[in-house]
Amino acid sequence: MMVRSGNPAVRLGTLMSAVLLLLGAGGAGWAQSAPTSLGVQEQEPQAAPAPATPAPSPPPAGEENPGLIKGLNNLFDKVPSFLPPIKSPSETLNDLSRLAMPSTMVSGRAACPVSSNGAPDCKLAANQLCQGKGYKEGKSLNTDSAEKCSAKVLIPGRQRKPDDCRTDTVVTSALCQN
C-alpha cells in the first residue's frame, strides 16, 4: 500500500487502518461446502457439534501477553523513522509568511549577464528589473533572446567565424517582492 499524502495524520490513520485490517484478516476464514455434482446429491450423516473449548488460561505471572495494544505501541515506536519531522509553530509561520508575501508583476527590459558556464544569468536581470521599480528582488517570468552579429558578417564572400555573432537574452517581465 502506498500512501502519498503529505499530511502525517492522514498517513498515520491509513497505516492504523491497514494494521487493523491485517490483524483482522489473520483469523479463521469462512467454512466452504464441497461442490455438488449435477443431478446426484449425497446425504452426509449429521455430525454431532464439537464440544466447547475451554477458555484459555491466563499466562503465568512471569510471562507477558503482547496483545493488540502492546503490538500497536511497538509499531508506533518505529513510526518516526519514516514520517517527516514535525515543524515548530515558528517555522510553520515563517513558511506561510513567505508564501503569503504580496508580489507584483512588472515589465521592462533588463539584459541577462553571461555566467561563468556561458549560460545567461537571468536571476540578476530580474532583480535589476524589480529594483528599478522599487522592489527588493524578483524572479523572471518571461525572457527574450536575439542573435547580434557584427557588420563583418555582411561582407560578401567572407566566411562566418564562431565569434562573429552572439545571443543576447533579456528579461521582459518579472515577479517582484518586497
Side-chain angles (χ1 to χ4, degrees):
M1 175 190 303
M2 183 74 143
V3 179
R4 293 183 182 261
S5 173
N7 188 344
V10 172
R11 280 194 273 180
L12 184 61
T14 306
L15 179 66
M16 287 179 58
S17 63
V19 167
L20 292 176
L21 181 68
L22 289 175
L23 290 175
W30 291 94
Q32 296 181 357
S33 61
T36 59
S37 60
L38 295 175
V40 179
Q41 292 183 352
E42 294 181 19
Q43 292 284 338
E44 293 185 24
Q46 293 287 332
T53 58
S57 62
E63 293 182 26
E64 189 176 307
N65 185 4
L68 176 66
I69 303 299
K70 177 109 172 138
L72 286 177
N73 282 339
N74 290 339
L75 176 70
F76 291 133
D77 288 341
K78 298 174 186 171
V79 167
S81 63
F82 61 86
L83 286 178
I86 297 174
K87 292 183 177 181
S88 70
S90 63
E91 291 173 331
T92 304
L93 286 176
N94 287 342
D95 290 346
L96 288 175
S97 66
R98 194 175 320 122
L99 291 174
M101 268 192 215
S103 56
T104 304
M105 187 180 95
V106 297
S107 58
R109 293 182 68 81
C112 300
V114 178
S115 65
S116 61
N117 64 359
D121 186 6
C122 291
K123 174 67 176 150
L124 291 175
N127 285 343
Q128 281 180 338
L129 184 61
C130 289
Q131 289 167 358
K133 305 284 183 173
Y135 294 97
K136 184 177 177 183
E137 65 177 344
K139 294 182 180 180
S140 66
L141 291 177
N142 196 11
T143 59
D144 191 16
S145 324
E147 187 176 59
K148 295 212 176 177
C149 298
S150 69
K152 296 177 188 176
V153 175
L154 300 175
I155 299 173
R158 182 177 180 278
Q159 291 289 330
R160 188 172 173 175
K161 295 181 182 171
D163 61 341
D164 285 345
C165 298
R166 71 174 194 272
T167 303
D168 288 340
T169 306
V170 294
V171 172
T172 58
S173 61
L175 190 66
C176 302
Q177 293 181 343
N178 281 331

